[in-house]
Amino acid sequence: RRSLWSFARVRARFLLGFAVVLSMSASGCSFFPSVAPFQSRRAQALLRRRGGGHPHQQQQLHHLHRRKGVARDEGRARSSRMEDCSRLWAVAGAGPGAGGGEKKGGAEERLKIYEVDPQLEAHEDHLEYRFRRYREQLEAIEGSEGSLDAFASGYETMGFSEEDGCVVYREWVPAAQSVQLIGDFNGWEGWNLERDSFGRWEIRIPKKVNGESPIPHGSKVKVRIQTPHGNWVDRIPAWITYATVDAGQFGAAYDGVYWNPPRDERHEWRHGRPEVPLALRIYEAHVGMSGQEPRVSSYREFADTVLPRIKASHYNAVQLMAIQEHSYYGSFGYHVTNAFAASSRSGSPEDLKYLIDTAHGMGIVVIMDLVHSHASNNANDGLNGFDFGQKEEDSYFLSGEAGYHQLWDS
């Protein structure tokens, strides 16, 4: 169980969790995968026979019809997405829970995806292996957490939260000898965290008598870690929701920011999420590069000046790039350093909520470009800084060549 927590539960929970928090919970956005479900000519022909029209349109309609009702019932929609995946990958003659490569009635079962695209039969051994590993991991997750949805909700308890009159901070660092919470709120003097049996460190800080938080909103925060080698390093909390840098100082490092604004400073949502259109017309945009002046544009500027033009051009969806925090602006947001944090170059989390709320008021659904297959190699500001050369099951990343993407240097 220790191995399951360290290698599978926490690392995969992190990756799944920030997709959920950015695309559904924190922002109120709908999430739509960008990968078309069918690619081969035979699959396109099947789609044309089923409904006519251009294959791309059929792919889009197929994709959308599966997701009608997302705005009305998020829970049902998430289950529907899982069922849609299972239909493609389910073993012939079995339900969604069936595993690949098993024998039933004396004959070996095959994945249904070969019926959709026979060209995949050349890769059957590898696909069967990967599906088998998927089923094993899914069953382990469901046995431990109850469901994949619950498993992906780590953001609700990891990082900073408020529980039972306390500010609670949790961080998964199983290889650490000691962990401390530091920031300008305690003069950068460490407050010690306690470790549980799964390598999760925790501190509970009671609120003041008058109910005020012991960590003021906007405080700079970092986690100080004693590595397995005995040295101390300062890192930005892995689950931080906001991180900033002193733009006037060359080469300055980012600081995590404790984001918990008082009620009168929080964005108040005015509009519900629009229903998913039957046909998406998507305008892809980079908020920082959307202005006419040679500077980084803000979320609010985009909402007030660009969204009306998108609406007037009859688009019903906007896809936003580079929303997750990334220290290197030239990466177009693909070298993510803080997966749960809204990019501070364009404003605060409340400003991003304003943009999304404004789009919803115009009937425009919002899609967020999320990067979760790799992360920046920046160890000072990002998740890579939690790799101290420890064993693989105690790290967020794989070791050796499997943990490094040469083409992205990430």
Side-chain angles (χ1 to χ4, degrees):
R1 182 170 173 82
R2 182 191 305 273
S3 176
L4 175 63
W5 176 274
S6 59
F7 184 68
R9 289 177 65 188
V10 177
R11 182 168 64 189
R13 170 178 282 170
F14 183 94
L15 297 176
L16 286 167
F18 75 70
V20 173
V21 71
L22 283 177
S23 63
M24 291 183 175
S25 301
S27 65
C29 294
S30 302
F31 173 69
F32 301 88
S34 58
V35 180
F38 305 115
Q39 297 295 337
S40 74
R41 292 181 180 178
R42 183 178 183 275
Q44 292 174 359
L46 283 171
L47 287 169
R48 284 196 293 271
R49 286 201 296 270
R50 289 171 184 169
H54 191 276
H56 176 73
Q57 294 173 331
Q58 292 301 321
Q59 290 169 10
Q60 188 181 65
L61 287 173
H62 172 85
H63 178 66
L64 286 169
H65 285 313
R66 289 184 297 156
R67 285 159 179 80
K68 288 179 67 175
V70 166
R72 293 188 296 273
D73 189 339
E74 290 182 7
R76 185 173 60 191
R78 284 195 290 271
S79 297
S80 176
R81 284 195 290 271
M82 290 297 293
E83 290 171 2
D84 291 335
C85 260
S86 297
R87 289 192 194 103
L88 276 182
W89 289 93
V91 176
E102 299 179 357
K103 298 205 179 268
K104 185 176 181 181
E108 186 171 332
E109 303 287 350
R110 301 182 75 240
L111 296 173
K112 276 190 171 182
I113 196 167
Y114 308 123
E115 298 175 11
V116 177
D117 191 346
Q119 295 181 33
L120 293 175
E121 290 181 354
H123 310 283
E124 181 174 350
D125 289 345
H126 185 67
L127 289 172
E128 295 285 348
Y129 163 76
R130 292 191 64 142
F131 185 72
R132 206 162 45 243
R133 294 287 296 136
Y134 156 74
R135 290 302 314 174
E136 292 170 358
Q137 193 67 70
L138 180 61
E139 289 169 4
I141 290 170
E142 291 177 338
S144 176
E145 299 291 336
S147 69
L148 190 62
D149 190 42
F151 176 75
S153 301
Y155 64 90
E156 295 177 347
T157 55
M158 297 297 289
F160 289 97
S161 60
E162 291 190 0
E163 302 173 12
D164 302 324
C166 297
V167 172
V168 183
Y169 170 61
R170 298 184 180 97
E171 198 73 68
W172 182 71
V173 203
Q177 296 186 38
S178 298
V179 177
Q180 298 178 341
L181 178 63
I182 62 174
D184 54 12
F185 56 91
N186 63 5
W188 301 97
E189 297 293 330
W191 291 350
N192 292 318
L193 280 69
E194 295 183 356
R195 187 188 192 277
D196 68 14
S197 59
F198 301 123
R200 183 175 62 178
W201 296 77
E202 176 181 311
I203 184 173
R204 305 178 74 91
I205 313 164
K207 290 187 177 181
K208 299 178 181 179
V209 177
N210 60 2
E212 290 184 4
S213 173
I215 306 178
H217 165 62
S219 297
K220 293 181 178 180
V221 296
K222 283 196 172 182
V223 55
R224 180 166 289 167
I225 302 168
Q226 187 178 24
T227 74
H229 313 292
N231 60 305
W232 290 85
V233 295
D234 295 348
R235 297 291 185 254
I236 295 177
W239 304 75
I240 202 73
T241 57
Y242 194 46
T244 60
V245 65
D246 184 355
Q249 182 180 347
F250 179 77
Y254 274 72
D255 289 302
V257 176
Y258 178 68
W259 194 259
N260 186 26
R263 192 169 302 276
D264 59 350
E265 295 181 19
R266 297 177 186 175
H267 176 79
E268 293 187 8
W269 294 91
R270 298 171 298 161
H271 308 286
R273 182 186 304 168
E275 290 198 10
V276 180
L278 291 179
L280 278 176
R281 294 182 296 278
I282 303 172
Y283 187 98
E284 184 177 20
H286 186 294
V287 172
M289 302 179 186
S290 63
Q292 308 233 355
E293 299 179 19
R295 60 177 176 80
V296 178
S297 297
S298 71
Y299 297 124
R300 290 185 176 270
E301 289 172 334
F302 186 92
D304 295 338
T305 62
V306 181
L307 280 179
R309 298 172 61 185
I310 294 174
K311 176 65 175 178
S313 299
H314 304 290
Y315 289 94
N316 54 23
V318 58
Q319 179 172 332
L320 300 179
M321 299 172 59
I323 294 299
Q324 295 164 287
E325 188 59 86
H326 49 290
S327 61
Y328 176 45
Y329 192 57
S331 74
F332 281 77
Y334 288 104
H335 275 189
V336 172
T337 44
N338 312 107
F340 288 85
S343 179
S344 59
R345 288 185 180 88
S346 294
S348 72
E350 306 309 304
D351 296 329
L352 177 58
K353 292 175 185 178
Y354 172 81
L355 185 163
I356 295 165
D357 200 11
T358 303
H360 287 175
M362 296 179 180
I364 298 173
V365 297
V366 181
I367 304 169
M368 289 190 176
D369 231 342
L370 300 178
V371 180
H372 49 77
S373 59
H374 63 112
S376 171
N377 63 10
N378 182 334
N380 291 325
D381 301 322
L383 192 64
N384 193 37
F386 286 80
D387 186 349
F388 322 112
Q390 66 266 37
K391 56 186 179 180
E392 189 172 270
E393 57 264 35
D394 288 344
S395 176
Y396 281 112
F397 302 99
L398 298 174
S399 59
E401 292 185 1
Y404 178 67
H405 199 312
Q406 293 186 0
L407 297 179
W408 279 98
D409 187 27
S410 59

